[in-house]
Amino acid sequence: MSYKSIVVQLDTSKRAHFRLDCAFRLAQQFGAHLSGVFSAFTPDPRSFYVMAGSADYFEAHRKFRQERHGALERSFHAELSRTGVSGRWIDCNEYASEAMPHYTRCADLVVAGQDDPNDPESFIADHFPETLVMAAGRPVLFIPYVGVFPTLGENVVVAWNGSREATRAVHDALPFLQRAKKTTIVTLNGPKDEPRGSPIPGADIALVLARHSVKAEVAELDGIDDVPLGDMLLSRVSQLGADLVVMGAYGHSRWRELVMGGATRSMLQSMTVPVLMSY
């Protein structure tokens, strides 16, 4: 099992070039075809008509984005030539939240960026990362907006709670897990007074992975009242020196609102290493 088709989501944010570098590293590692899908939020110029000087601002902003778009596309084609990776560049002119799933569903792995609150250019659409992971139908690897990652997938933490989403994530991540030097299954339990039901023990999924030639250690992470599980998981990731987290994304849509689980929300907001999510 391997990733043979990778899609990377690109935009005019500061981290787009780094995300592209990560995608090329993965494409080389797995011998995959790489599609670079460029999508950026563009405000409707009509919304500026009531503002004095808005036409000049909009034109300057358009030129700025054109320059970044051109530089990124040139980098993409230069890397194709340098690395020998096969690939294609796609300009997505539709709303990204609606168009991206068309490309992601024909891929084995999707590489996307974390929202950066300090960079307006990272904004693609409202709740774009959450919408993407729920609509993609494929695993999404989110690259944080800060940090440099010389390794990716050598020391993996699997967040396990026995859910459907976690099960999907584990199997979607098998190409990483089979190459990893170390894999730790961190079982997530809720507060001690919370009904447990019948979660699948971490040892059972470790046995499943062993049949795929993945040797994994199991560590338990008990919930503590008033301490979010997402924060506890991030702390454990740091302690283990992991360079990749694998987890299920829990969420659902209700009327006019996208509701994500606590651990999923914490990771999307505060990830310190790349996170592979499946829904």
Side-chain angles (χ1 to χ4, degrees), residues 140-174:
V140 181
L141 177 66
F142 289 103
I143 306 297
Y145 66 80
V146 293
V148 177
F149 313 104
T151 63
L152 204 171
E154 291 188 2
N155 183 354
V156 184
V157 163
V158 176
W160 178 254
N161 63 0
S163 67
R164 178 192 66 81
E165 294 86 356
T167 303
R168 175 76 179 271
V170 167
H171 288 83
D172 283 346
L174 274 175

Side-chain angles (χ1 to χ4, degrees), residues 85 117-118 131 187 190 265:
V85 169
N118 300 311
T131 302
T187 58
R265 188 169 55 251

Side-chain angles (χ1 to χ4, degrees), residues 157-160 186 188 221 228-240 245-247 263 267:
V157 163
V158 176
W160 178 254
V186 176
L188 305 180
L221 189 64
L229 277 174
D231 292 347
M232 295 180 65
L233 178 59
L234 285 167
S235 177
R236 182 60 63 91
V237 167
S238 178
Q239 292 170 7
L240 292 169
V245 175
V246 172
M247 64 183 294
M267 273 296 176

Side-chain angles (χ1 to χ4, degrees), residues 242-265:
D243 60 8
L244 176 65
V245 175
V246 172
M247 64 183 294
Y250 175 75
H252 64 275
S253 297
R254 71 186 181 201
W255 189 63
R256 300 190 68 180
E257 185 178 5
L258 185 64
V259 181
M260 305 303 290
T264 306
R265 188 169 55 251

